[in-house]
């Protein structure tokens, strides 16, 4: 397994060096001198002009093969931040840590409180709060795929920091602790029981509550990180919010997709789950709204960016952000051409590992 993993890593890195990245304006700026940075991550930020005092902060984690600016371009977070008045922090992986730019959500040293990549992200958050006088009670985090799995890590290891989180095509905290187990869990093979996942969550920090709210998104046709992982995330978090195992969620349809909601004892919505019909691996977008479709950024007729911000109550649900200049470009990406022979075998291996678009 290690030899296969190393081969895939080298192939993916070589491909990344030979393919020109999509060109787009980069509104993000570097955040420097934010701490000891034990995870050796890069920090990028976006702060709208005339940001009001005590504004919220949203932390955004990209997926494998992506960059912070590329993910922002696709998901449209900076456009929404301009409209609704909040700051953004984009931790960014470096090839020296992971050849495919995946956050190391499965490495024990990076998925623990006060260590590795998790501590680096925590240090970035603190630097942003102090520099821009942000509201400590309204800090949120979201991510796609490996970024979604790292979102699980941050919510588990630093729950006192976050008011809410959103995991897109991700995995629960503690489900894997090595590259082989990470691949197995992505495919839905094995993994801790629901009771064990709940124990891992409670043991990840000394926090006793209140706990962050949670938004979980997954495509029903995702073959890279299978949908059972979304159900495992719900199972991991349900009891910590005091939700009875037998309490049925309410179900509605939103923009043609299923939304399930769990409420706590006070009637507050604490967990929501979107199952995006027919969608593969990626972040769901609405072509007539913010963001730009592309690899792993999928026009599904629903804007996860806007819906997540509304769930967190940092975006006006009555305001629909439309950018007409993007409508002409907003079309689903073409599927990559399928190669034959050994080339096809290699590409299939990369795709199954989530390392090739």
């Amino acid at each position: 397994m290690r030899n296969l993993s190393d081969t895939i890593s080298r192939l993916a890195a070589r491909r990344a060096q030979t393919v020109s990245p999509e060109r787009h304006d980069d509104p993000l700026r570097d955040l420097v001198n934010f701490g000891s940075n034990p995870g050796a991550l890069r920090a990028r930020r976006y702060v709208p002009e005339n940001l009001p005092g005590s504004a919220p902060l949203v932390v955004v984690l990209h997926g494998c093969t992506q960059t912070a600016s590329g993910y922002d371009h696709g998901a449209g977070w900076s456009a929404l931040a301009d409209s609704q008045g909040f700051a953004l922090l984009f931790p960014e992986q470096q090839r020296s840590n992971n050849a495919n730019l995946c956050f190391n959500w499965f490495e024990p040293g990076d998925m623990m409180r006060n260590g590795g990549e998790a501590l680096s992200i925590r240090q970035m958050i603190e630097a942003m709060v102090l520099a821009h006088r942000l509201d400590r009670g309204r800090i949120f985090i979201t991510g796609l795929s490996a970024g979604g799995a790292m979102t699980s890590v941050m919510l588990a290891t630093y729950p006192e920091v976050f008011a809410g989180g959103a995991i897109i095509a991700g995995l629960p905290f503690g489900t894997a602790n090595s590259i082989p187990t990470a691949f197995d869990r992505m495919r839905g093979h094995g993994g801790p029981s629901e009771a064990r996942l709940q124990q891992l969550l409670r043991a990840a920090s000394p926090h006793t509550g209140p706990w962050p709210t949670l938004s979980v998104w997954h495509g029903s046709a995702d073959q890279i990180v299978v949908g059972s992982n979304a159900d495992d995330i719900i199972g991991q978090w349900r009891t910590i919010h005091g939700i009875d195992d037998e309490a049925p969620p309410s179900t509605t349809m939103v923009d043609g997709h299923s939304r399930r909601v769990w409420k706590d004892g006070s009637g507050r919505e604490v967990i929501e789950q979107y199952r995006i019909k027919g969608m593969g691996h990626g972040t769901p977008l609405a072509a007539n709204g913010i963001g730009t479709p592309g690899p792993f950024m999928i026009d599904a007729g629903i804007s996860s960016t806007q819906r997540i911000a509304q769930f967190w109550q940092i975006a006006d649900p009555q305001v629909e952000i439309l950018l007409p200049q993007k409508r002409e470009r907003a079309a689903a990406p073409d599927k990559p051409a399928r190669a034959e022979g050994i080339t096809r075998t290699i590409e299939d291996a990369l795709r199954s590992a989530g390392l090739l678009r």
Side-chain angles (χ1 to χ4, degrees):
M1 182 66 195
R2 179 175 177 81
N3 290 338
L4 174 60
S5 177
D6 290 346
T7 300
I8 290 173
S9 297
R10 289 195 298 272
L11 288 168
R14 182 174 180 180
R15 178 180 182 275
Q17 294 171 357
T18 59
V19 176
S20 297
E22 179 185 356
R23 294 184 179 277
H24 57 264
D25 293 335
D26 180 5
L28 309 185
R29 298 293 177 263
D30 285 334
L31 173 67
V32 297
N33 300 324
F34 55 83
S36 60
N37 192 16
L41 301 177
R42 184 184 183 187
R44 311 215 67 206
R45 60 185 173 87
Y46 182 79
V47 180
E49 294 183 10
N50 303 315
L51 185 72
S54 298
L57 172 66
V58 175
V59 183
V60 183
L61 303 175
H62 62 80
C64 296
T65 76
Q66 295 178 321
T67 63
S69 64
Y71 190 78
D72 177 56
H73 178 71
W77 275 105
S78 59
L80 190 62
D82 277 335
S83 169
Q84 302 297 300
F86 54 81
L88 293 167
L89 168 65
F90 292 83
E92 186 175 78
Q93 185 58 281
Q94 304 297 287
R95 291 200 186 278
S96 56
N97 294 331
N98 187 295
N100 306 300
L101 299 180
C102 308
F103 288 101
N104 289 308
W105 58 272
F106 48 82
E107 291 287 352
D110 288 308
M111 53 183 284
M112 59 183 291
R113 186 178 174 97
N114 298 331
E117 292 179 8
L119 179 55
S120 289
I121 296 170
R122 176 67 185 94
Q123 291 175 340
M124 296 176 197
I125 293 170
E126 185 66 18
M128 284 289 293
V129 169
L130 294 175
H132 302 287
R133 299 180 180 179
L134 303 175
D135 185 352
R136 291 186 182 275
R138 292 190 295 166
I139 300 175
F140 306 89
I141 186 166
T142 183
L144 166 67
S145 192
M150 199 66 191
T151 296
S152 286
V153 169
M154 295 305 298
L155 291 171
T157 56
Y158 295 101
E160 76 280 6
V161 172
F162 302 102
I167 300 168
I168 305 173
L171 300 97
F173 169 73
T175 189
N177 56 15
S178 65
I179 290 177
T181 56
F183 280 129
D184 282 343
R185 305 302 177 261
M186 288 166 62
R187 299 183 182 109
H189 299 158
S193 66
E194 182 174 297
R196 178 56 179 157
L197 286 174
Q198 293 169 359
Q199 291 173 353
L200 289 168
L201 176 59
R202 291 186 180 277
S205 79
H207 186 61
T208 58
W211 299 91
T213 60
L214 189 64
S215 181
V216 180
W217 295 68
H218 220 106
S220 67
D222 193 334
Q223 299 300 312
I224 293 176
V225 179
V226 300
S228 61
N229 285 287
D231 298 329
D232 289 343
I233 294 169
I234 300 297
Q236 184 170 56
W237 279 85
R238 189 173 55 237
T239 58
I240 211 163
H241 276 294
I243 299 170
D244 191 318
D245 287 348
E246 298 181 358
S250 61
T251 302
T252 57
M253 297 299 291
V254 179
D255 295 336
H257 304 286
S258 171
R259 178 184 186 249
R260 299 199 297 168
V261 175
W262 289 262
K263 297 180 180 181
D264 64 12
S266 68
R268 184 175 68 118
E269 295 185 354
V270 290
I271 301 176
E272 68 171 4
Q273 180 185 28
Y274 279 89
R275 185 76 68 178
I276 307 303
K277 184 178 179 180
M279 193 186 81
H281 189 68
T283 294
L285 309 173
N288 64 340
I290 61 174
T292 303
F296 305 122
M297 313 301 292
I298 302 171
D299 177 9
I302 183 171
S303 172
S304 56
T305 301
Q306 289 177 248
R307 293 287 179 183
I308 288 167
Q310 290 166 358
F311 181 65
W312 291 337
Q313 299 181 5
I314 60 171
D316 187 343
Q318 303 302 318
V319 176
E320 187 173 6
I321 311 302
L322 297 178
L323 302 179
Q325 68 272 22
K326 291 190 176 182
R327 290 178 182 169
E328 294 180 0
R329 295 180 293 161
D334 293 333
K335 293 183 179 179
R338 302 287 287 179
E340 300 300 328
I342 186 62
T343 302
R344 178 171 179 171
T345 300
I346 293 171
E347 289 190 0
D348 285 345
L350 289 169
R351 284 192 183 90
S352 68
L355 303 177
L356 180 61
R357 299 161 181 163

